[in-house]
């Protein structure tokens, strides 16, 4: 960029900032100065900072500034201001999120108040883009121009967003709250995964309103929303939303952050009782008798530009999301038109999507987009939930000229909003919760789905990658979804991804099934193999989504098991580096308190081990090595049994102990069918040299069925680590001896010195389950991970940690005093 380029840029138009917003920013500035001066701790400042949309990064001393863009709508003038802020105070790059916000990273705290003022001067804010508030209200980026919409939801999205912004009802919710609006049955805004989803509807009498669903959400416990009102009249829209928020505010779990979203309120109450509470809240807030006054909508100017479109119609490709046709070797423009251009319902106009690699665009590119929006359209821009931007109201006759300008600024890539447009969160690049480099993985998968070259049979496929289980990239609803985890292998840790398949929101919404855990290095090869299997075994006309649903999780898992195998660090150290990582992968940056997650991971690892043993058993049978195959089947049964025993806080050291504990703690309680009692005798020994093809097949079938039973028992297992089929307990599990408490102590002592994570947490959890609410337990733990993780995990479960300190002067062991709190 030359000085002349900057000189030619138009001036950014600003307006006086309203007094109440000036005061709001000054309040933030005063608190930020206190932090910078050492007069206020960062921990105290954190919730205040989040309320203003300012997020901490994993890198110390810098912030992420999240700019709230309701329904994704902003003007060219506003985008120029964002560009200027990115260049002045951040990295010169903006990141479009899956909630249609724009984030700027690596901002020093001292610059944040000035950024807030400059944003406010063009009508933008960061307020409530983070924290326990109503987050950005999203809507379909085609609202108002979509050929299939019932009506334009834009003014309703804007009205809902600004009605709730700074609303006292919204300032201190139990957890974040998300709202989305869609105008047509394709449901581009993904209403089923929101706390409140609003889908445009029209009654037989012609009245318009919304079908309202409630209780959706992704994260570590994904749920689809349920129908609250089949038809919500417009005059009751805001009262209905307020009443839902009121119920959540009143009944949401404020003790346990992991159980605080509204979906858990519904899960605890049952949907019918939740609905009754909503009706009561609606009446108590003064809305018992609707006034039937029309909703007072905020204006949104989105009229056609002065340039008239040509009279020629736009040829459609028959797919409903592109124009133009490809005959023979298509030109780059035709390829871009096919994937990135949508004909509007207004004849002669189109909407063009600008594909942003993983949602990123530079400050200079923002200036270009703003300029193009004003020269080729009406100055309006929309961000999309797929991390792109679109410009609407482009006259068909000017489309090629528009495209050439995009290409000149590296913005002309085809494949927007399609499978090659891979969605990825920031991951470990900046996020403090990120485990893996989701952007690095997206770039690696770009070789599997090259832009503009993906065949028609993958056209409707989606790929979404989250760097942790929180699902910021919405991996649960992707055809191919991935979320990052770490897996300890001896002295080292390898980056892995859990692969979820078959998620979608169109038709009957479905959460993708977790199929297998893959080392990061093997993910591209595994995904390529998945596509090959689809093309090999599909029925005529069958989509990948339908194929996944038909063949099922187990068949696909068997195909992908070879890609789960990780060599030792000595054999191939590259498996222990993340994509684009320059240093060996570690989990040191993660906070404590994930013992329950560690226990679940241990169970998953044992089940994966069983899968791998079975896979080898099958290969050995094919090679006529029957005795070795029997041995592998035996090992598969042992691994699955040990996986279930994790829930009992037991990790047997020998095969004999495993079989004995399994019979005592699980088979005798009915967690598995009675046919699996005396498991050791049924499995037999490690395998005989005289094994035949028949005996090998028999052992393998037994092991496969047993593994399926164990998986079924753990299918609904949550962080409470309770197996769903447990019958009445006949007695407490065997545990290390309880050391008698000293005379001055009132709580029994549980000595877990020498017990590693996560088993120390599981044992403590089981012990507390046998105690009454309010009883106390003193737990002795080793230094290091045990004392860091166990107390935080118990707090996450809702228990109280009353005391915490060293057990002896050397501080090699610690003690904590826990008070049981019923969940």
């Amino acid at each position: 960029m030359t000085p002349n380029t900057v000189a030619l840029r138009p001036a950014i138009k600003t307006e006086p900032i309203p007094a109440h917003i000036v005061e709001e920013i000054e309040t933030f500035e005063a608190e930020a100065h206190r932090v910078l001066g050492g007069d206020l701790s960062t921990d105290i400042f954190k919730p205040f900072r989040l309320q203003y949309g300012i997020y901490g990064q994993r890198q110390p001393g810098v912030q992420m500034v999240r700019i709230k863009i309701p329904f994704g709508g902003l003007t060219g003038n506003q985008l120029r201001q964002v560009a200027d802020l990115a260049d002045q105070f951040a990295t010169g790059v903006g990141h479009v999120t899956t909630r249609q916000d724009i984030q700027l990273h690596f901002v020093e705290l001292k610059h944040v108040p000035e950024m807030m003022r400059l944003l406010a001067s063009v009508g933008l804010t960061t307020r409530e883009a983070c924290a326990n508030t109503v987050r950005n209200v999203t809507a379909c980026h085609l609202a108002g121009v979509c050929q299939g919409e019932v009506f334009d939801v834009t003014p309703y999205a804007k009205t809902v967003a600004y009605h709730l912004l700074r609303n006292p009802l919204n300032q201190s919710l139990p957890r974040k709250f998300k709202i989305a609006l869609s105008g047509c049955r394709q449901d581009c805004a993904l209403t089923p995964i929101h706390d409140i989803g609003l889908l445009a509807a029209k009654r037989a009498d012609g009245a318009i309103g919304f079908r309202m669903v409630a209780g959706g959400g992704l994260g570590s416990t994904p749920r689809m929303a349920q129908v609250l009102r089949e038809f919500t009249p417009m005059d009751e829209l805001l009262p209905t939303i307020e009443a839902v928020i009121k119920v959540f505010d009143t009944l949401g779990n404020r003790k346990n952050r992991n159980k605080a979203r509204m979906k858990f309120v519904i899960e605890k109450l049952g949907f019918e009782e939740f609905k009754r509470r909503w009706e009561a809240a609606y009446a108590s807030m003064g809305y018992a008798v609707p006034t039937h006054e029309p909703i007072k909508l905020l204006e949104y100017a989105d009229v056609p530009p002065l340039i008239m479109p040509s009279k020629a119609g736009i040829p459609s490709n028959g797919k409903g999301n592109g124009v133009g046709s490809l005959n023979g070797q298509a030109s780059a423009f035709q390829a871009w038109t096919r994937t990135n251009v949508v004909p509007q319902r207004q004849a002669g106009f189109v909407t063009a999507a600008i594909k942003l690699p993983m949602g990123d665009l530079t400050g200079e590119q923002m200036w270009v987009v703003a300029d193009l929006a004003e020269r080729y359209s009406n100055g309006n821009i929309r961000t999309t939930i797929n991390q792109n931007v679109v410009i609407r109201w482009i006259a068909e006759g000017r489309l090629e000229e528009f495209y050439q300008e995009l290409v000149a600024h590296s913005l002309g890539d085809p494949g927007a909003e399609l499978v090659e447009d891979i969605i990825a969160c920031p991951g470990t690049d900046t996020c403090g919760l990120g485990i893996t480099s989701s952007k690095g993985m997206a770039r690696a998968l770009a070789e599997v789905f090259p832009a503009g070259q993906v065949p028609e049979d993958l056209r409707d496929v989606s790929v979404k990658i989250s760097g942790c289980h929180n699902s910021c990239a919405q991996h649960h609803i992707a055809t191919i979804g991935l979320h990052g985890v770490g897996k300890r292998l001896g002295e080292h840790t390898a980056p892995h991804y859990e692969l979820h398949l078959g998620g979608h929101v169109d038709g009957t919404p479905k959460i993708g099934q977790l199929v297998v855990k893959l080392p990061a290095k093997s993910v591209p090869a595994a995904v390529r193999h998945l596509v090959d299997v689809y093309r090999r075994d599909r029925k005529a006309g069958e989509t990948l989504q339908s194929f996944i649903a038909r063949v099922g999780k187990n068949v696909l898992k068997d195909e992908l098991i070879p890609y789960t195998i990780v060599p030792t660090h000595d054999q191939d150290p590259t498996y222990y580096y993340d994509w684009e990582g320059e240093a060996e992968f570690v989990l040191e940056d993660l906070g404590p308190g994930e013992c329950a997650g560690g226990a679940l991971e241990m169970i998953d690892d044992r089940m994966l081990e069983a899968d791998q043993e079975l896979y080898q058993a099958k290969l050995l049978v094919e090679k006529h090595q029957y005795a070795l195959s029997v041995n592998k089947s035996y090992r598969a049964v042992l691994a699955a049994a040990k996986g279930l025993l994790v829930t009992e806080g037991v990790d047997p050291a020998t095969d004999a102990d495993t079989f004995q504990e399994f019979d005592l703690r699980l088979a005798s309680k009915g967690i598995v069918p009675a046919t699996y009692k005396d498991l050791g005798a049924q499995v037999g020994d490690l395998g005989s040299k005289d094994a035949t093809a028949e005996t090998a097949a028999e052992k393998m079938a037994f092991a496969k069925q047993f593994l399926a039973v164990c998986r079924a028992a753990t299918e609904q297992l949550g962080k409470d680590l309770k197996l769903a089929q447990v019958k009445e307990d006949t007695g407490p599990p065997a545990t290390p001896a309880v050391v008698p408490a000293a005379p001055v102590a009132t709580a029994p002592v549980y000595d877990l010195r020498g017990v590693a994570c996560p088993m120390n947490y599981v044992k403590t959890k089981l012990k507390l389950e046998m105690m009454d609410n309010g009883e106390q337990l003193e737990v002795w733990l080793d230094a290091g991970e045990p004392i860091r993780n166990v107390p935080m995990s118990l707090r996450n479960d809702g228990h109280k940690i009353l005391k915490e300190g060293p057990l002896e002067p050397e501080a090699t062991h610690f003690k904590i005093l826990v008070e049981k709190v019923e969940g």
Side-chain angles (χ1 to χ4, degrees), residues 27-49:
T27 301
F28 181 90
E29 186 171 40
E31 296 304 298
H33 283 158
R34 290 180 64 200
V35 172
L36 294 171
D39 298 324
L40 180 67
S41 76
T42 54
D43 288 338
I44 298 295
F45 182 60
K46 179 180 177 180
F48 178 82
R49 164 172 59 75

Side-chain angles (χ1 to χ4, degrees), residues 407-425:
V407 171
H409 294 91
S410 302
L411 291 169
D413 288 347
E417 309 280 309
L418 300 177
V419 60
E420 57 261 56
D421 195 4
I422 296 171
I423 308 300
C425 71

Side-chain angles (χ1 to χ4, degrees), residues 757 760 779 781-792 804-805 814-816:
C757 295
N760 46 21
V779 184
L781 300 162
D782 293 334
E785 283 191 352
I787 190 59
R788 287 199 304 270
N789 293 348
V790 174
M792 185 64 74
E804 186 176 336
F814 288 77
K815 60 182 178 181
I816 60 173

Side-chain angles (χ1 to χ4, degrees), residues 132-134 169-177 245-246 248-249 254:
N132 299 328
T133 61
V134 175
L169 184 64
N170 169 40
Q171 298 310 298
S172 186
L173 297 174
R175 197 70 174 85
K176 59 189 173 185
F177 195 93
I245 295 173
K246 182 65 175 176
F248 175 51
D249 188 48
R254 295 181 184 272

Side-chain angles (χ1 to χ4, degrees), residues 438-741:
S438 40
K439 285 189 171 183
M441 175 56 69
R443 282 186 279 269
L445 283 175
E447 297 182 8
V448 181
F449 303 106
Q453 302 175 40
V454 178
E456 282 293 315
D457 61 352
L458 299 179
R459 186 177 185 83
D460 296 323
V461 171
S462 58
V463 181
K464 300 175 186 283
I465 309 169
S466 299
C468 73
H469 68 267
N470 285 315
S471 199
C472 292
Q474 303 168 340
H475 62 268
H476 290 107
I477 55 169
T479 318
I480 300 171
L482 295 155
H483 92 257
V485 295
K487 183 175 180 182
R488 297 188 191 280
L489 298 165
E491 297 296 316
H492 302 272
T493 302
H496 277 65
Y497 282 86
E498 293 190 352
L499 174 66
H500 303 251
L501 296 177
H504 60 91
V505 295
D506 54 317
T508 302
K510 182 181 178 183
I511 299 294
Q513 282 191 300
L514 170 58
V515 175
V516 75
K517 185 185 295 185
L518 300 162
K521 185 175 180 180
S522 300
V523 169
V527 171
R528 190 176 281 110
H529 181 66
L530 172 68
V531 173
D532 290 343
V533 170
Y534 158 60
R535 288 174 174 153
R536 182 191 73 196
D537 298 341
R538 67 187 172 188
K539 295 181 177 180
E542 190 173 40
T543 64
L544 179 58
Q545 184 77 53
S546 300
F547 173 76
I548 290 169
R550 177 174 63 83
V551 303
K553 168 182 174 178
N554 291 335
V555 170
L556 296 175
K557 180 186 66 183
D558 288 345
E559 288 283 351
L560 295 171
I561 284 296
Y563 298 92
T564 66
I565 298 169
V566 183
T568 66
H569 188 272
D570 290 339
Q571 291 171 330
D572 190 348
T574 62
Y575 277 81
Y576 299 82
Y577 284 73
D578 206 351
W579 282 99
E580 303 178 0
E582 297 179 357
E584 188 171 325
F585 183 79
V586 293
L587 293 177
E588 292 176 356
D589 289 337
L590 295 183
E594 286 300 321
C595 292
L600 292 172
E601 183 178 358
M602 183 180 286
I603 294 169
D604 288 343
D605 287 347
R606 299 281 164 79
M607 296 301 175
L608 176 59
E609 181 185 342
D611 282 327
Q612 292 172 337
E613 297 286 7
L614 265 178
Y615 169 74
Q616 292 185 61
K618 179 183 176 183
L619 293 181
L620 289 164
V621 164
E622 293 170 356
K623 295 178 181 178
H624 309 292
Q625 299 182 33
Y626 304 125
L628 291 177
S629 174
V630 169
N631 175 273
K632 290 298 181 183
S633 295
Y634 171 89
R635 288 291 165 202
V637 171
L638 269 170
K642 291 185 76 170
L644 279 193
L645 283 170
V646 171
T647 65
E648 296 290 308
V650 177
D651 189 19
T654 68
D655 296 357
D657 288 346
T658 299
F659 290 130
Q660 182 180 349
E661 294 287 358
F662 186 87
D663 284 341
L664 174 66
R665 298 171 182 275
L666 300 174
S668 64
K669 297 178 183 177
I671 290 171
V672 295
T675 53
Y676 293 108
K677 287 183 178 179
D678 200 11
L679 184 63
Q682 294 194 61
V683 175
D685 56 24
L686 296 175
S688 166
K689 292 181 180 179
D690 299 325
T692 64
E694 290 73 20
T695 57
E698 180 185 320
K699 294 289 186 182
M700 193 162 59
F702 179 91
K704 189 171 185 177
Q705 183 59 39
F706 179 73
L707 177 55
V709 166
C710 291
R711 281 200 181 281
T714 62
E715 201 68 37
Q716 303 301 321
L717 194 65
K719 289 193 175 183
D720 58 2
L721 300 179
K722 290 183 179 178
L723 292 167
Q725 295 177 310
V726 174
K727 293 184 177 180
E728 178 137 355
D729 200 346
T730 57
T735 56
V738 177
V739 178

